[in-house]
Amino acid sequence: MKLLHIASLLSLVAAAQAHMEVSWPPVFRSKFNPRVPGSLIDYDMTTPLKADGSNYPCKGYNVDAGTPEGSPGVVWRAGGTYNLTVAGSATHSGGSCQASLSYDRGRTWVVVHSWIGGCPLTPTWDFTLPNDTPPGEALFAWTWFNKIGNREMYMNCGAVTIRASGYAARSPADSIYNRPAQFVANVNNGCSTLEGADVLFPKPGPDTDYDSDGTAAPVGNCGASGRRTRPSRA
């Protein structure tokens, strides 16, 4: 009986271990963001979104946009290649991730890059902004659908400043205006992912990396699972 009790405690500890969170670029309420005062830091940033969807998007922290603690932490130029870094100890054998932008403070999102499989088994992930990404302040989001474990959606967001590139999109498909919506699942929206497989995003976009030994399409009403943004043309 004592051994069973110890095993139960160990399983609880394992469940409570940090999952993964964005450490760069700076995101809202993060301990890695020097703009966030101690009183606002979320020390549970690695937890997934609520299953009822009540804190989608951004765990509700997109309300910080436009505040001093939510000011942009990086300046990116359209057409440039940048990276995001994740930290944590529980990768759940990887999964699939996306990097997205929003120009309306999180109401709608457009995908910049998708990684199908292997994410986030390494800490740093590169992506390139389309040449015609509009200038101005935007929200950046990292979303993750874990391969093993409870069916969950993880999401961290932060503010970024975008500078114009002066170049047109390389092709119509590459244009920011033709990119797909952010994929959304496991948050009471009628769409879910399957355990044991890397979710195959229905519309991953033209910039997609594949590193999977087994994918599965999402199940349910996933055709409109994401919410598409139409960035304003500068």
Side-chain angles (χ1 to χ4, degrees), residues 10-233:
L10 289 175
S11 66
L12 288 173
V13 170
Q17 280 184 337
H19 298 283
M20 306 300 291
E21 64 180 303
V22 172
S23 58
W24 180 263
V27 296
F28 301 137
R29 307 291 177 99
S30 171
K31 64 185 179 184
F32 297 106
N33 188 340
R35 291 172 173 79
V36 179
S39 60
L40 290 180
I41 290 176
D42 177 1
Y43 289 100
D44 290 321
M45 280 289 288
T46 59
T47 57
L49 296 177
K50 293 181 179 179
D52 63 7
S54 60
N55 65 347
Y56 174 86
C58 307
K59 300 185 74 177
Y61 298 153
N62 51 315
V63 297
D64 289 355
T67 66
E69 59 271 16
S71 59
V74 294
V75 177
W76 293 339
R77 186 170 296 277
T81 297
Y82 301 97
N83 65 72
L84 66 91
T85 303
V86 292
S89 58
T91 61
H92 292 275
S93 298
S96 298
C97 303
Q98 289 186 317
S100 307
L101 291 176
S102 173
Y103 283 83
D104 54 16
R105 297 195 174 184
R107 187 174 63 86
T108 55
W109 297 88
V110 60
V111 172
V112 173
H113 200 110
S114 293
W115 296 273
I116 296 175
C119 184
L121 298 181
T122 59
T124 302
W125 300 83
D126 294 334
F127 57 90
T128 300
L129 299 180
N131 284 340
D132 60 347
T133 302
E137 185 172 324
L139 296 191
F140 170 82
W142 171 75
T143 49
W144 169 42
F145 299 89
N146 50 305
K147 182 176 182 178
I148 300 297
N150 294 332
R151 299 297 80 210
E152 297 167 331
M153 177 177 180
Y154 295 79
M155 186 175 194
N156 292 164
C157 309
V160 299
T161 297
I162 308 291
R163 304 293 189 205
S165 71
Y167 297 97
R170 292 171 296 182
S171 68
D174 185 64
S175 172
I176 190 77
Y177 300 98
N178 293 324
R179 296 295 178 105
Q182 179 188 86
F183 176 74
V184 182
N186 304 328
V187 287
N188 195 35
N189 65 326
C191 180
S192 59
T193 60
L194 297 178
E195 185 179 10
D198 300 310
V199 63
L200 185 64
F201 299 126
K203 295 180 179 180
D207 287 347
T208 302
D209 293 338
Y210 295 85
D211 182 18
S212 177
D213 58 5
T215 62
V219 295
N221 182 19
C222 301
S225 63
R227 289 187 272 181
R228 175 75 160 82
T229 188
R230 294 292 298 177
S232 57
R233 292 182 184 270

